[in-house]
Amino acid sequence: MNIILFGLSMSGKTTIGKKIAEKFNRTFIDTDLLIERAYGQSTKTHRTCRQICADEGELFFRELERQQIESLKGSSKCVIALGGGSLCNQASATFLQSIGHLIYLKTPADILWQRIQMHGTPAYLDQSDPKTSFDKLVKRRIPLFEKMAHTTIETSHMNEEDIVASLSLIIKAFENLHFETRSV
């Protein structure tokens, strides 16, 4: 079973995902890196996801994202970190539910906003009023995330080690359940 981490931008999906993958000797996949690689191969240029979205527009970016998510078909025992908007596409969301356990890293919006400000305003936010744009995005995505999550980890009072420990317990429980199911 794949472990699929999702949440709003800057919630720690990649950082935590790498640590969990290493701890459990699983392959780590960051869908943002898949998107950047695919874009680079087709255009012979290097662009980050933020740059691709800014240069090509969100519709183009979301289609490329959907294609890269579907390329995960057949993957197993991976830790997958999704981009913040990956689950907004219903086809992608349904596909991801079929290949793994969706874990929502729920981080308070005020903490995420502080992190975003440190890294620069992303292209998907309205550059003329990024805070209002961010607040609207949060209001749209959180209900979807809560609906899609198989498991939610509230990260507001946790450091990275605490989050990794919580995820470790979840993964061990799944591994035990899978073992017991197979041995019956």
Side-chain angles (χ1 to χ4, degrees), residues 121-170:
T121 304
Y124 57 83
L125 294 178
D126 180 350
Q127 303 301 301
S128 65
D129 189 1
K131 179 64 168 114
T132 300
S133 179
F134 174 75
D135 291 341
K136 287 179 183 177
L137 180 110
V138 168
K139 285 182 183 177
R140 268 193 335 265
R141 288 189 182 170
I142 286 181
L144 171 67
F145 289 174
E146 289 174 345
K147 177 182 167 191
M148 296 298 301
H150 294 127
T151 302
T152 298
I153 297 178
E154 300 267 352
T155 66
S156 59
H157 300 297
M158 301 172 88
N159 60 31
E160 286 179 14
E161 292 77 26
D162 294 335
I163 298 168
V164 169
S166 293
L167 275 168
S168 296
L169 292 173
I170 293 165

Side-chain angles (χ1 to χ4, degrees), residues 5 24-25 41 43-44 54 57 59-60 64-65 74 76 81 90 95 105 107 119 134 147 157 164 169 172 175 184:
L5 304 177
F24 286 89
N25 197 28
Q41 288 173 350
T43 65
K44 306 298 184 228
L59 288 176
F60 176 90
L64 184 56
E65 179 179 56
S76 84
Q90 185 58 48
F95 172 75
L105 297 181
T107 307
H119 290 90
F134 174 75
K147 177 182 167 191
H157 300 297
V164 169
L169 292 173
K172 287 176 185 174
E175 287 176 345
V184 170

Side-chain angles (χ1 to χ4, degrees), residues 25-90:
N25 197 28
R26 290 180 175 226
T27 301
F28 176 71
I29 299 171
D30 185 324
T31 60
D32 283 350
L33 292 179
L34 294 179
I35 292 165
E36 291 170 4
R37 221 175 280 138
Y39 184 82
Q41 288 173 350
S42 70
T43 65
K44 306 298 184 228
T45 61
H46 174 73
R47 297 278 186 274
T48 65
C49 285
R50 286 180 185 215
Q51 292 168 326
I52 297 167
C53 193
D55 295 347
E56 304 288 351
E58 188 169 0
L59 288 176
F60 176 90
F61 179 81
R62 293 297 172 205
E63 176 58 21
L64 184 56
E65 179 179 56
R66 184 194 61 74
Q67 292 169 8
Q68 295 312 302
I69 286 171
E70 288 181 5
S71 77
L72 299 173
K73 185 176 184 172
S75 64
S76 84
K77 293 197 174 190
C78 296
V79 176
I80 302 168
L82 300 178
S86 298
L87 293 176
C88 294
N89 178 302
Q90 185 58 48

